[in-house]
Structure formats: structure tokens, C-alpha cells
Amino acid sequence: MDADDTTGEAATDAVSPHSEAVSPHSEAAGAHPEAASAHPEAASAQPEAAGAASATVAAIEAVWRIEAARLIAGLARLTHDVGLAEELAQDALVAALEQWPRTGVPDRPGAWLTTTARRRAVDRFRRERTYARKLEALAHELPAGAPGADDLARLDEDPIEDDVLRLVFTACHPVLSTEARVALTLRLLGGLRTDEIARAFLVPEATVAQRIVRAKKTLAKAGVPFEVPQGPERAERLASVLGVIYLIFNEGYAATAGDDWMRPALCEDASRLARLLAALMPDEPEAHGLAALLEIQASRAAARTGPSGEPVLLADQDRRRWDPLLIRRGFAALARAEAAGKAAGAAPGPYTLQAAIAACHARARTARETDWRAIVRLYDALALRAPSPVVALNRAVALGMADGPAAGLAAVDELSGEPSLQGYHLLPTVRGDLLARLGRYEEARAEFAHAATLTRNARERELLLSRAGDPRGGVAGTTGGGAPGTRGGGTTGTTGGGASAATGGGGAPAHTGR
């Protein structure tokens, strides 16, 4: 995510959901050292109490990550205001941070948070008489008195899944900028704090806070309905949702900038969102296709970096370190995508095709066993569904592996004048590798050195400079395949010149040895 102006209302963004409220408890656990010295038995009890409080806070954070989307979605349905819904959810979180360290985590923490938040909504609307009709609706749903068993049973009947799906489409609404969609999605659906999002994308916290505040205001001003779109609009809006999740994963899988090759937490958040979306939309082939793609790609995470965090290209990875569970889940999701597509009479979409490419690599026990001709055919199909220069570059790499480096280089050279690839570091990277395989080492050296000046990722720059110093070295740039993380023209976390593959922007994963 590119940094933007950080002035204005950024500082008004509500809350970091945990840090401020946690500090009173940790302070209380270790307060009054003089009292502790006067009463040794109390002193010995303090570490135990502090440990219990810390465990409770950790449990609250875990509950929040799991329940935030459902909680905010349910409140948004009742209030028709995403900003207010998040504020009420945060109020409930603060109440939990105040009460649960004393009373313990309830058996059904999600229901507790929902009940508390709805009661806060009732109290708020009582104070604001302009919301009289909303109060009547809420009061009818929520019985008076303290939360009880009947109260919690009623919550189970609410259409939680429908609410979450509405929240997904609202957070990814096209009226918002790409950066705002990403920030709002991670905040509302991922349960991330503002500072966590800022760290993940290497931008100031105030910048992210401003994006979130502006996004909420934009949604309110535009009167965006809290609903799942239907008819022709549904496909366009779904593409936006898939593109945001894909973008988040890309930034974790191959970071745009900074000192780290990967940011695994972002990959995990994106994979979780993809699974959620696939569960909410079981008849949508591309929802399953995206989930499959991310599962298979994430399976390689442990093998993609060396002991010092240096990149390990696909040809050099120890495939025994690939996660077999994620691969199996990816294959299962791909099968669901293909079955749903056949049931709908639709050809495989861009994400399903990319998942099929990733599956070709996952099935190969060694790099030499990779079925490159199958990958070329899949890229041919992808070029028909989502044509772009990045897809063409990927196909050229696969062609170079299937038919030899000369064939690949000829295809790459056809793209040399493409405006959207100017400044794109993977173009000279791929060209350098093909030249090295042809024995044209001095030309390869120049291409790798040029590519190193274009990337903003320190680890990737080190790798490219190493290749420039020894172009006879490993095979960089041609043995990857099906890996998200390519970026066009320096755009923020996006692929293929600023859009995901699903939106026709050509964000197909490049064969960069990842």
C-alpha cells in the first residue's frame, strides 16, 4: 500500500481494539510494590494473577479475531451503518477486557459480545430520539434484563452467515479506493488493529487510520446499502471482493517493499478470508478457485526462505517442507471450483485456472517432473479469460521451460515495448534468466542488474544482484509458477498493472521461482 497524505481526521480513527484497554489490567496486576513487600504471600500471588490476566487477554484477542466479522456484520444489519457497528463492537470488546479477567471467559464468548453490543445499541438509540424506530426494532429483538439462556438461544437464529456476506461486499464496495478496501476488509473482517495493518504494509499508522475513517464516511455518504448484490452487478462486485483478498495474499507472499521476502501473517489472513467467502458462497466457482490458489501457494511458505530469511527459489526448495495438509485442502477446493463451474455451465475462471497452474507444481515430486506443457495450455486459457501483458510474460516463461529458452526469449522480446511492463522488475529478471540459459552471460548480467534497480524489496534486490554477479548461477525467474505476488508498474500490492486477474487487469502469478 502506498503512503498517502496523513493529515486530517486520521487521529480520530477509533481504537486499537486491544492495546489501550489491556494496559489497566497489566498495571493492576503489578501495582503497589511496597504493599507486595509488606505481604510476601501477596507478592507470591501477584505473578500468578498476572499470568492469569495475561492468558485471559490472549483469549480475548483470539476470540476477537474469530468473532469480529460476525459481530460487526450483525450490528451493521441492525444499524445500517458500518462505522457505528464497529464502534458498538469495540465497546463490547472493551467491556470484555474489563470483565473477563475477573469473571473468566464465558462459555460462548461470541454470543456474550453480541448481546453486550446490542444492549449498547439499545442504550445509544434511547439517548438519541431521532432513532426511535430503530430502538423499537432492536427492543423487540432483545428481551429486557440481563443476558440469559433465552437471549443466547435467540442469537443462534440470526442469519449470521448472510450478515457476514453483506459485510464482505460492503467493505469491498467499488466506491472505495483499492487501498481503502484492503484496510477496511482487514479491520472489519480480519479483526486486525490499525497498527497491525500499518506494519503489514509498511505505512504510517495514521495513514491506515485515515483510510479507514474516510472509507466509513464514503460508504455513509454514498448510501451504500448493506446487502448482497444481485443480478448483473453481483459478478462485478464479486470480482472486487476476490481481488481484495488476492491482493492481501500477494503482499504477504512476495512483499512489495521492505526487508522481508514474505509477510506470513497477511497470507494467513487472506487464506482465512478466502475460506470464509467460499463457505458463504458455495455455488460460486471462483470463490473456491481463489481459496484453492491460496491454499496451494501457502503450502510452500516454510520452504521459501532460508535460515537468514533469504529467498529460496522453487527449483531449490525442499519439497518435503511443503505443507501436505494445505495442498490437500487446495486440491479439494480446486475440485469444488471445477464442479461448481460445470454445474453452472461456465468455463474455468481466472482464479480457478491459476489454482490449476499451482496444482501442477504441487503434484510434481521434483522440479524436473513439472508438466510445463500443461502449464502452457493453462496460460493459453488464462490469456483468453484475462488477457494482459503479465499473463503473456508468464506464458513466455512456461514456454521457455517447455520448448527451450530460445522460444521463451522470443516471446518475452515481443513484450519489450509494452508500456505497462516498463519499470516492472520481473521483465528484465525473466529476460536475464533466459539469456543466461542460452549462455549469453554478459547480457544476462545487465538484465539482472537493471532488475535490481527496479524492485523495492531488499531481499529480492540481494537475489538479483547475486545473479548479476554470477549469471551462471541458479535458475531464477523460470522455475516458479503459479505464485501470486507479481506487481505491475510499482502499484501497491496489486497485480498486472493495478488490478487482479479477476477484474481483467492481468494479475496472473508470474514464474519467478517463488
Side-chain angles (χ1 to χ4, degrees):
M1 297 170 74
D2 293 328
D4 55 17
D5 177 57
T6 59
T7 59
E9 66 270 31
T12 66
D13 181 37
V15 271
S16 159
H18 317 299
S19 54
E20 293 181 4
V22 171
S23 58
H25 300 296
S26 57
E27 179 182 333
H32 306 298
E34 67 281 2
S37 63
H39 300 280
E41 66 280 4
S44 63
Q46 284 181 3
E48 184 176 331
S54 177
T56 301
V57 169
I60 293 172
E61 291 191 358
V63 168
W64 177 257
R65 284 288 177 94
I66 295 169
E67 299 291 343
R70 296 183 181 89
L71 178 59
I72 296 170
L75 292 167
R77 173 171 56 86
L78 296 175
T79 64
H80 302 285
D81 185 331
V82 170
L84 176 57
E86 192 198 10
E87 183 180 335
L88 293 168
Q90 294 285 350
D91 287 346
L93 177 64
V94 171
L97 287 164
E98 292 173 346
Q99 297 180 36
W100 293 2
R102 298 194 310 270
T103 63
V105 178
D107 292 336
R108 300 179 59 195
W112 190 99
L113 289 169
T114 300
T115 300
T116 301
R118 290 188 178 190
R119 293 195 179 285
R120 298 293 174 98
V122 170
D123 292 341
R124 183 184 183 112
F125 293 148
R126 281 193 178 121
R127 292 194 301 267
E128 300 175 10
R129 295 187 179 279
T130 56
Y131 288 96
R133 282 183 295 178
K134 291 184 179 180
L135 169 62
E136 182 180 351
L138 281 169
H140 178 72
E141 286 197 23
L142 203 61
D150 293 341
D151 220 1
L152 300 181
R154 182 182 295 269
L155 295 177
D156 285 338
E157 300 172 2
D158 288 347
I160 296 297
E161 290 78 9
D162 291 344
D163 288 343
V164 174
L165 191 57
R166 293 185 186 103
L167 184 61
V168 169
F169 277 96
T170 301
C172 298
H173 197 281
V175 73
L176 303 176
S177 69
T178 299
E179 289 83 0
R181 291 180 220 172
V182 169
L184 199 60
T185 297
L186 287 173
R187 177 66 175 265
L188 300 183
L189 292 155
L192 272 67
R193 302 190 305 264
T194 302
D195 63 306
E196 291 176 317
I197 300 170
R199 283 198 303 272
F201 287 94
L202 302 181
V203 296
E205 184 176 348
T207 297
V208 174
Q210 184 182 40
R211 288 174 183 167
I212 293 171
V213 169
R214 286 180 173 173
K216 293 174 185 175
K217 290 183 177 179
T218 298
L219 291 173
K221 184 177 180 180
V224 172
F226 189 67
E227 64 184 16
V228 176
Q230 302 298 328
E233 184 187 9
R234 182 185 177 96
E236 178 184 350
R237 294 279 301 282
L238 177 60
S240 175
V241 172
L242 295 171
V244 167
I245 298 173
Y246 183 65
L247 185 157
I248 293 169
F249 187 90
N250 280 354
E251 186 59 32
Y253 193 84
T256 308
D259 297 329
D260 297 319
W261 175 244
M262 292 182 65
R263 298 187 187 122
L266 280 180
C267 292
E268 293 168 7
D269 288 323
S271 296
R272 182 161 53 90
L273 291 172
R275 292 183 207 119
L276 172 66
L277 186 64
L280 294 173
M281 306 186 78
D283 297 327
E284 288 290 348
E286 283 290 77
H288 295 293
L290 177 64
L293 173 63
L294 303 195
E295 298 281 19
I296 297 171
Q297 295 312 114
S299 73
R300 302 206 296 255
R304 293 185 68 239
T305 55
S308 301
E310 70 278 9
V312 178
L313 301 181
L314 184 58
D316 303 320
Q317 288 173 16
D318 181 354
R319 298 189 176 210
R320 293 171 299 180
R321 299 187 66 198
W322 291 3
D323 189 326
L325 173 61
L326 293 182
I327 291 174
R328 289 196 298 271
R329 289 195 337 202
F331 286 173
L334 179 57
R336 288 192 292 270
E338 293 171 341
K342 288 180 181 178
Y351 292 113
T352 301
L353 289 168
Q354 291 181 72
I357 293 170
C360 286
H361 292 282
R363 292 189 184 101
R365 291 175 298 176
T366 67
R368 290 182 179 275
E369 295 180 26
T370 305
D371 189 347
W372 286 103
R373 294 199 179 279
I375 291 173
V376 171
R377 291 193 295 271
L378 287 167
Y379 269 119
D380 286 339
L382 184 58
L384 292 175
R385 292 301 306 269
S388 82
V390 173
V391 172
L393 178 62
N394 295 336
R395 182 187 179 280
V397 173
L399 188 65
M401 296 301 292
D403 294 342
L409 183 61
V412 169
D413 285 345
E414 292 179 4
L415 301 171
S416 60
E418 174 59 44
S420 64
L421 296 181
Q422 304 308 306
Y424 184 46
H425 72 283
L426 291 180
L427 178 62
T429 298
V430 169
R431 193 168 191 277
D433 182 79
L434 293 167
L435 287 167
R437 291 172 59 201
L438 289 169
R440 295 161 61 176
Y441 298 120
E442 289 308 311
E443 293 173 84
R445 190 190 309 275
E447 294 289 351
F448 288 130
H450 177 51
T453 68
L454 299 177
T455 181
R456 293 191 292 149
N457 184 279
R459 293 291 188 179
E460 196 160 33
R461 185 181 304 111
E462 291 172 4
L463 174 65
L464 290 166
L465 290 174
S466 174
R467 289 303 312 276
D470 180 16
R472 292 177 174 81
V475 183
T478 59
T479 58
T486 61
R487 280 174 254 314
T491 55
T492 302
T494 58
T495 56
S500 77
T503 57
H511 292 295
T512 56
R514 303 176 184 201

